[in-house]
Amino acid sequence: MGKNFMAMPPLLKLLTATTVGVPIFCIASMFPHQSISVFGQQITVSEWWSSGAGLTTLVVGVLMLAAGLLMLRRSRYGRPAFILGLIAVSLSAPLISYLTESDFPAKVPSLLSNLVVTVLIGLYLYKSRAIQSYFVADSTTARSGGK
């Protein structure tokens, strides 16, 4: 996978590296004796997990991590999984706000900007010739028996 990471175009490397962010946050939120800021409101780790917000973040984290691994493996499912992960990240914000009874309405513009960013990243993932070449290289290698 290290070889595949090095073969990625620079922006794809960055996008793939971001897929570990949510799982890292999720692991960090499991440690007791700390509070978590949710839209400016401090809640305890216990409240975070008992409200369902922790589980929501865990699901999104697993989705993003799987997307990153699929892109590292040059799987044809990597790009759609990454886009699905971005959508999940965007939709998790209002859900977490609801679960933790935080004030989300002021954050609606960020939800819309996340949608725009997701569309732009999706276009990049499918229209960039460098990325198309990165994913095609794997299918060519697979057909030739890995040689």
Side-chain angles (χ1 to χ4, degrees):
M1 278 199 243
K3 207 179 212 185
N4 285 348
F5 184 77
M6 296 311 292
M8 287 180 168
L11 187 53
L12 185 59
K13 284 180 188 174
L14 177 65
L15 293 174
T16 302
T18 64
T19 64
V20 299
V22 178
I24 287 172
F25 171 77
C26 203
I27 291 167
S29 75
M30 292 179 185
F31 295 106
H33 308 299
Q34 65 181 7
S35 63
I36 298 171
S37 179
V38 180
F39 304 111
Q41 173 186 338
Q42 294 293 320
I43 64 171
T44 66
V45 171
S46 173
E47 292 169 322
W48 172 255
W49 285 96
S50 65
S51 69
L55 180 60
T56 301
T57 305
L58 180 63
V59 169
V60 171
V62 167
L63 242 172
M64 288 302 289
L65 191 58
L69 291 172
L70 288 169
M71 289 201 297
L72 280 171
R73 296 190 64 184
R74 297 184 183 205
S75 168
R76 66 182 177 155
Y77 302 111
R79 292 178 284 183
F82 187 81
I83 293 168
L84 179 64
L86 288 178
I87 292 168
V89 167
S90 295
L91 295 178
S92 70
L95 178 59
I96 289 171
S97 176
Y98 172 77
L99 293 171
T100 59
E101 299 174 0
S102 300
D103 182 31
F104 183 75
K107 309 295 185 218
V108 171
S110 67
L111 186 61
L112 297 174
S113 65
N114 284 351
L115 175 62
V116 170
V117 169
T118 299
V119 168
L120 292 174
I121 289 173
L123 287 171
Y124 169 71
L125 289 175
Y126 281 97
K127 297 297 183 184
S128 165
R129 288 179 193 230
I131 292 180
Q132 289 173 1
S133 296
Y134 170 77
F135 283 100
V136 168
D138 180 57
S139 60
T140 304
T141 304
R143 275 186 256 139
S144 67
K147 298 176 184 171

